[in-house]
Amino acid sequence: MEGCGESGDGAGGAWHVSVVKYRRGAGRPAYGAARAAGPLARRDGLSVLGRTGEVRCVDSSGRVLWTAACSGVPNAAHISGGRVLVTTDSLDYTPWGHLGPALLLDLADGAPVAELRGASGAVLSGGRFFLGLEGYDVFDTWEYDRDGALVDSWRSYGHYVTGTGIRVVETDRNLPTGSRVVRLLPGGAVERGPALTDPLCPEPLLLADGTILVLDAGVLRAVDRGLGHSVLAELLPVDPDPWRCRGGLRRSGDRLTVTLAEEHRDRPGKHVVHTWTLALRPGPAAV
């Protein structure tokens, strides 16, 4: 480990980390977040569930309120303003891989409102949603209203962080990467924040004050609401080939678990898994 500390241009001493425990061993990387068992989304006593070929809405007692057919496997749902947006995986391989349709449904009865295209979504207010897609010269986010009409669009895609404005931890899957942490502004404008090294950063963590924690090619970064950033820890030296490392972040109280699976250069498919337990605290680091 290279060290823990703070640097950057704007996040100042808002947060710091210190190492509680470190271990390493053989293992395999976790490719993306494991899909949790249970509802895809919950809101006001309602739960949206999915299985191959259908989406269901149940109340708090488990009573099925409606069932809607779909052509694939639902993988995520987002509820806002009496609408539910469901993204799906296709059962067949298509020019977009296993991307299935994104279904906009009426939350009251499951009636179809619109069929859209996108791999991941985010909730806005009043039945509006973000839907994004990357690949084949597409690196875009679209905003749709409750009727499925296009409202706005941006040339950006990645992990969406909603709150005060919409920030994106971009994942362009290119080397060298052009990914950054950005903010989406009305009219398709994109406010550029700190550049990233990893073209496929794992899902970030959002702290109570709006700070985003980003694991970027072995470096733990903090990005505040104003896109000011700092380096909290350099966990591994930055590899010229960031594809060799796949990682993840998990928080429990004031403890942060960082996992990085590093592929051997001379033994393809074999990995060393590094795991750090970090104490996460507000305020400047102790000197």
Side-chain angles (χ1 to χ4, degrees):
M1 176 172 171
E2 296 298 299
C4 294
E6 309 225 14
S7 62
D9 61 356
W15 295 93
H16 77 275
V17 297
S18 57
V19 177
V20 175
K21 183 168 62 176
Y22 166 76
R23 65 180 185 274
R24 61 175 286 165
R28 301 183 63 180
Y31 291 102
R35 189 179 303 170
L40 300 174
R42 290 188 178 94
R43 176 70 63 85
D44 299 330
L46 301 180
S47 297
V48 176
L49 303 97
R51 63 186 181 188
T52 302
E54 73 171 33
V55 182
R56 288 178 294 140
C57 181
V58 303
D59 63 17
S60 57
S61 70
R63 180 171 60 99
V64 177
L65 303 179
W66 52 259
T67 301
C70 73
S71 60
V73 183
N75 57 49
H78 310 275
I79 298 173
S80 176
R83 296 287 190 259
V84 55
L85 176 70
V86 182
T87 52
T88 70
D89 298 320
S90 172
L91 296 173
D92 301 311
Y93 192 79
T94 73
W96 285 95
H98 288 284
L99 177 71
L103 307 174
L104 184 61
L105 307 174
D106 191 314
L107 185 60
D109 57 11
V113 176
E115 184 172 305
L116 307 169
R117 186 180 70 176
S120 59
V123 173
L124 300 173
S125 62
R128 297 176 300 124
F129 299 90
F130 275 163
L131 190 60
L133 185 62
E134 181 274 331
Y136 298 99
D137 199 34
V138 175
F139 186 67
D140 295 280
T141 294
W142 303 279
E143 179 185 345
Y144 293 99
D145 69 13
R146 60 182 290 104
D147 297 318
L150 182 65
V151 175
D152 210 340
S153 63
W154 297 264
R155 190 67 172 172
S156 178
Y157 173 79
H159 301 290
Y160 301 114
V161 181
T162 60
T164 304
I166 304 295
R167 288 168 290 172
V168 184
V169 178
E170 294 183 326
T171 55
D172 66 6
R173 297 198 296 179
N174 290 325
L175 283 178
T177 182
S179 292
R180 292 178 174 268
V181 181
V182 304
R183 186 190 316 279
L184 305 185
L185 302 174
V190 178
E191 180 184 358
R192 291 156 59 88
L196 300 171
T197 300
D198 191 339
L200 196 59
C201 289
E203 185 173 354
L205 289 177
L206 178 63
L207 304 182
D209 68 348
T211 298
I212 306 170
L213 300 184
V214 181
L215 182 59
D216 177 25
V219 176
L220 182 62
R221 303 184 186 276
V223 183
D224 65 22
R225 291 181 184 273
L227 300 183
H229 69 283
S230 65
V231 172
L232 299 187
E234 297 176 354
L235 300 170
L236 285 180
V238 175
D239 195 295
D241 182 6
W243 293 104
R244 292 181 57 241
C245 291
R246 292 293 95 210
L249 294 172
R250 188 175 72 255
R251 185 185 180 194
S252 178
D254 66 351
R255 291 294 186 265
L256 187 67
T257 301
V258 183
T259 304
L260 278 166
E262 182 182 21
E263 186 175 33
H264 288 279
R265 286 194 176 277
D266 56 351
R267 299 170 63 194
K270 301 295 183 180
H271 295 80
V272 174
V273 178
H274 307 267
T275 304
W276 293 266
T277 301
L278 306 177
L280 175 68
R281 295 186 177 89
V287 178

